[in-house]
Structure formats: C-alpha cells, structure tokens
Amino acid sequence: MNGPPPPPHSLRVAVVGAGPAGIYTAEALATQDRVPVVVDVLDRMPTPYGLVRYGVAPDHPRIKSVVTTLQEILQLASVRFLGELEVGGNVTTDELLQHYDAVVYATGACVDQKLAIPGEELPGSYAATDFVSWYSGHPDAVQPFSLDVRSVAVVGVGNVAVDVARMLTKRPEDLAATDLPVPVIKALRASTVQEVFLLGRRGPEHAKFTSKELRELGELDDVDVRLNSADLDVRDTDVPRAAQPNLRMLRSWVGKEAAAAPRQLNLRFWSRPLRVLGKGRVEALRVERTYLDEQNRLRGSGDVEDLPVQLVLRAVGYRSVPVKGVPFDKVRGVVPHLDGRVLDPAGQIRPGEYVAGWLKRGPSGVIGTNRLCAVETVNQLLEDLCSPGSHRRSLDSPLEELLATRHSPPSTWAGWLAIDAAEQERGQAGGRDREKIADWPTLRELSRGARPEG
Ligand code: NAP
C-alpha cells in the first residue's frame, strides 16, 4: 500500500493485469466515494504497463506518454502493485477469492492469431507479436531476430502490421534515440532488408489501420512506397466515411515513387496468403488475388503469385489466453460476462469475479477505450458489493501472509522503481532517455533490490 493502513471495513479488490485496462480499473475503484477500498494490481511481470511497455512502438513516444497517468494511478494511496504473481501459476484464482472481496481479470490479449495455411510453421515465418516482443525488450521474446534477409512479407493491414512495416523500413539512425535494447539496435543497423510487402486480404476501404499510422509510412525517409493503382479503384460511395481519409492519402501517393530509395514498401490489397513456400525455411509466400462476391464473402480469383520473401510476419490480430480457473469463450476469445460480471458456462453470474479490457471486449480500440470499459466493470462491482443488503464474504488474512509462506514473494513498486532507474541510467549513458532491460536475471535482481554486478 502506498499510503497509511486502510480502514478495517475497506473493500479489498485484486486486479489481475497491470496493463492499461487493469490500471484504469484500479483508478475507477480508488477514486469512487461509495466505499473505502484497497486495490492490489497483480502482474506476472515485475514491470507494470502491459502493452504500453511491450507493444506500443518505441518511436511512438506520445502514445507511450500515457505511462505518466498510469504511474500516478499506481501511486495512489489505496493502490499497490504486486509483480511476479502469475494467476494460475504461483497463485490461484481460489486463493485470490479467499483473500479479496472481488477479483477483476484484465490480462489483455497477448498471443497471436494464426493464418492456418501450409508452411506457416517454417523457420522464417513468425507472429508479428514475436517481432514486437523482441524489439520491445520483452524478456520472454521467443528469439532474437536477425534481419539478414532481402524481402519480408507482413500479412494484415491493421496498426500492428503498420508498426512492424515501419520498424523494418525506418532508418536505424531514426530509432537510435528510442528505448530499444542495444542488441535490437545492432540488429536493425545490420539489417539487409530492402523490400517489405504489406498485404491486405481485402481492399483499402476495409483496412483497419488508422490514418495517423498510415501517414507515417508516407513520411519515412529513404523509403519508396509503392501501390497498385488498380487496388484504389473503388467508387467513393462504396467507401465508409471512416476510411475516406485513408483512401485519399493512398491515392495521393500513387506515382510518387522514389526510385533511388534504398528500401521499398509495397502496399498490396486484395491479396491473401495461400501458402508459405520453402525447403527448410521460408523462400516465398504464395498469394492469391481476391474479390468480394455479391454476398460480401471473400473469394479467391485463382490468380496467384509467389512473392520472393525470406521472412513472413503475420499481423492478423491478437488473441486472449484463458486465465486458469476462469470461464473462457474459445470462439470469441473472451471471458463470458454481463457488463463486466463474469458468467459461468450456464450463464450464471460468478459472485466476486469481474473482467475488463481486451479479455472482456476482444482486442480492439485505443488505450483510452479501456478507461470506459473499466468504469463499466467497476460500476457493476460496486453495485454488487456496496448496495444496501449486499453481502460481503468474510475473508482470510491479507494475501501477503499467504505469499510469505511461498518460496518467492512478489516484487513491489519499489522493485519496479529500481528497474526504471537502472533503465534510465543505462539510456543516459548512451545519450538517450532509457534503454530497456530485456533479460529476466537482471530484472529479477533489480526488482529484489540487489544491483547486478557490472
Ligand atoms: P486488427 O486491427 O484487427 O487488424 C488485423 C488485420 O489482419 C486486418 O487487416 C485483418 O483483415 C487481417 N487479417 C485477419 N485474419 C487474416 C487472415 N487469415 N489473412 C489475412 N489477413 C487477415 O489487429 P491489430 O493490428 O493486431 O491491432 C489490434 C488493436 O491494437 C487494434 O485496435 C489496433 O488499432 C491497436 N493498435 C494500435 C496501435 C496504434 O494506435 N498505433 C498500434 C498497434 C495496435 P480483415 O479486416 O479482412 O479481417
């Protein structure tokens, strides 16, 4: 707890997940005036901020600056951050329910969707989330990326695809001031990538990227953006209002090819991947030209082409993973709920359990969308636990008494501050604000108060 001890009748709430959804949930709880509350925000990482730290691109400091607000919330007197606690791992949902009046699950959506095409498992074919985790310095990143390839296909035309295409084509010197770990900067400097294909399976009017993110692609130095003008041949009346700025921008780029640029970014629409080709590793991606039939179903035209690429990154959406012991709708990839109250498989409300963020709504919307979502969930929680006649369970002792009996206690806010300070120190030594620490041993040593050697 950041402040004095809470009144004994305070509502005790555990929020699982210290990303924006979890932190905004803590804010909605801590700033209401119906009942005194204490909130523990749990995360499996010793670092807070979820996808703001490990998903937002390093060259998007304005988006990352939301951290200032999130930090203020985690420092509120009634809020506490507990790191290195994995629900379903070193603590169970039953244990949380024994120690808190309510548990709010807000673990987000952090694994990738698959393409489900042959060859997808070949070396050289990865999820964009793997690439993002690597350049974001996530200590669980599956592998280091070596960019000693000529051509890359990025499948999907959402904002993640745009982030990845930009990171692959941006001049390394334009990323030097960011918080990228040093090995990532070195790999980007050594990159031999000359050509990136960004592939949309439908038209530009259906693309999910936002205009701000698209505009950045057109502003990259030393990058020649290429489009097929036939892809943009769509009647204005068929273009949804929200997509009109994107289409105008794309049209304005046609014919502006900068032939001498060292890197080429090819935006292709109406192209769906059919198969990843290669003997032992990726050598090409077979794509088929598509169209929408009269029922608006996506159809293949039979017109195929093999793009000679050596790396395929699928950026076709995130997916939530189930929290052990919590109901999960595998088809929709969310926890079934009624306005944030968790429902069991029979559709009955599970008392004391709530859900917020991408685990509740699916992976869509901007960071701020989570604030409204959290408020909705917290309103239900307060309605259930603070209305006249509502019943609160008698709880076991605070969670830390249970955790003290465990091999490894959780890390704390002070532990995060030690990591934060060490990252800033490293960054400043290299002339930038921060350098991410990307390995578990160092993160653990710092979060436990011991400065690593050297
Ligand atoms: P997304 O916005 O849902 O985009 C997914 C893309 O993948 C769509 O173009 C989709 O096409 C395509 N796709 C899906 N399945 C496919 C398949 N089997 N084959 C080919 N293409 C397929 O997902 P996202 O890019 O992962 O972004 C997730 C959320 O994070 C979004 O809300 C996004 O705005 C947000 N985000 C924001 C930023 C930012 O603000 N800078 C950065 C990153 C992420 P269809 O439309 O045809 O399905």
Side-chain angles (χ1 to χ4, degrees):
M1 205 60 41
N2 297 310
H9 55 287
S10 298
L11 196 66
R12 295 212 305 244
V13 182
V15 176
V16 183
I23 299 177
Y24 284 135
T25 301
E27 179 191 41
L29 285 161
T31 56
Q32 52 75 40
D33 51 16
R34 288 178 71 171
V35 63
V37 65
V38 293
V39 189
D40 284 345
V41 182
L42 281 52
D43 204 287
R44 78 179 187 87
M45 303 300 296
T47 53
Y49 313 134
L51 278 185
V52 175
R53 178 174 165 90
Y54 290 124
V56 173
D59 59 342
H60 277 170
R62 260 197 48 214
I63 303 180
K64 276 195 187 286
S65 69
V66 71
V67 158
T68 311
T69 307
L70 301 180
Q71 174 174 327
E72 282 167 12
I73 298 167
L74 286 177
Q75 288 179 314
L76 289 171
S78 53
V79 178
R80 179 170 66 163
F81 170 72
L82 295 176
E84 293 179 69
L85 276 181
E86 185 169 8
V87 176
N90 53 356
V91 65
T92 67
T93 48
D94 282 347
E95 285 167 340
L96 292 183
L97 289 164
Q98 282 157 21
H99 291 80
Y100 294 92
D101 294 292
V103 180
V104 184
Y105 306 106
T107 48
C110 52
V111 299
D112 63 290
Q113 297 276 17
K114 296 262 194 266
L115 288 171
I117 58 172
E120 188 172 15
E121 306 305 331
L122 275 175
S125 162
Y126 303 102
T129 48
D130 294 338
F131 186 65
V132 172
S133 291
W134 168 70
Y135 69 59
S136 301
H138 197 298
D140 289 343
V142 288
Q143 55 149 41
F145 277 82
S146 129
L147 298 170
D148 57 346
V149 297
R150 186 184 180 282
S151 305
V152 185
V154 179
V155 181
V157 280
N159 279 335
V160 170
V162 171
D163 277 353
V164 163
R166 191 180 68 256
M167 291 298 289
L168 286 165
T169 49
K170 198 163 186 161
R171 296 185 309 188
E173 59 265 39
D174 294 338
L175 291 165
T178 67
D179 62 7
L180 289 173
V182 167
V184 175
I185 293 187
K186 284 188 178 155
L188 292 173
R189 281 212 188 102
S191 165
T192 54
V193 172
Q194 290 177 28
E195 182 178 49
V196 173
F197 294 92
L198 189 55
L199 302 171
R201 64 178 171 178
R202 297 187 291 155
E205 67 274 33
H206 308 113
K208 300 264 177 64
F209 46 59
T210 40
S211 299
K212 190 178 147 293
E213 277 60 33
L214 178 63
R215 183 173 306 111
E216 281 179 85
L217 293 183
E219 291 169 350
L220 291 169
D221 284 324
D222 294 345
V223 178
D224 174 18
V225 180
R226 299 201 162 204
L227 284 142
N228 178 355
S229 57
D231 285 355
L232 309 178
D233 199 10
V234 45
R235 275 199 314 242
D236 286 347
T237 47
D238 292 342
V239 181
R241 206 183 160 86
Q244 286 174 9
N246 284 348
L247 206 71
R248 275 199 296 276
M249 203 180 315
L250 290 167
R251 284 178 176 150
S252 75
W253 293 349
V254 175
K256 283 198 177 162
E257 289 86 1
R263 284 181 175 163
Q264 230 182 61
L265 177 57
N266 298 290
L267 266 76
R268 298 254 188 120
F269 296 95
W270 301 110
S271 289
R272 73 169 172 198
L274 285 185
R275 174 182 285 269
V276 184
L277 304 164
K279 290 197 182 78
R281 63 166 300 116
V282 173
E283 290 168 13
L285 178 67
R286 179 161 298 162
V287 295
E288 180 182 34
R289 191 88 186 144
T290 54
Y291 64 95
L292 291 179
D293 69 11
E294 271 144 24
Q295 279 80 47
N296 256 341
R297 283 174 307 206
L298 191 71
R299 297 282 186 201
S301 68
D303 180 5
V304 298
E305 180 186 358
D306 292 346
L307 301 175
V309 296
Q310 302 80 46
L311 182 63
V312 173
L313 297 173
R314 57 179 182 274
V316 295
Y318 285 103
R319 176 165 68 81
S320 291
V321 285
V323 179
K324 207 168 172 188
V326 181
F328 192 71
D329 177 339
K330 283 192 189 133
V331 178
R332 296 181 54 231
V334 294
V335 169
H337 69 94
L338 183 66
D339 301 332
R341 295 174 170 113
V342 174
L343 298 176
D344 70 15
Q348 300 297 310
I349 289 170
R350 303 225 319 182
E353 291 183 277
Y354 300 85
V355 61
W358 278 4
L359 187 63
K360 169 183 170 188
R361 316 187 308 275
S364 65
V366 294
I367 293 170
T369 315
N370 291 300
R371 197 171 210 162
L372 285 177
C373 176
V375 167
E376 181 193 57
T377 294
V378 167
N379 283 343
Q380 307 308 314
L381 185 158
L382 295 173
E383 198 57 40
D384 293 346
L385 296 173
C386 305
S387 301
S390 61
H391 175 69
R392 275 165 60 182
R393 284 165 292 147
S394 61
L395 298 179
D396 291 351
S397 54
L399 185 71
E400 54 265 45
E401 285 183 22
L402 170 80
L403 295 174
T405 65
R406 299 273 156 92
H407 174 60
S408 161
S411 60
T412 61
W413 183 247
W416 156 243
L417 291 182
I419 295 171
D420 191 29
E423 289 189 339
Q424 293 185 46
E425 214 173 280
R426 283 186 182 200
Q428 279 149 20
R432 48 193 175 135
D433 290 343
R434 174 185 300 274
E435 179 198 329
K436 286 256 191 77
I437 294 171
D439 69 281
W440 270 115
T442 313
L443 288 172
R444 285 212 174 95
E445 273 187 88
L446 286 163
S447 74
R448 297 194 183 291
R451 303 293 302 238
E453 299 287 319

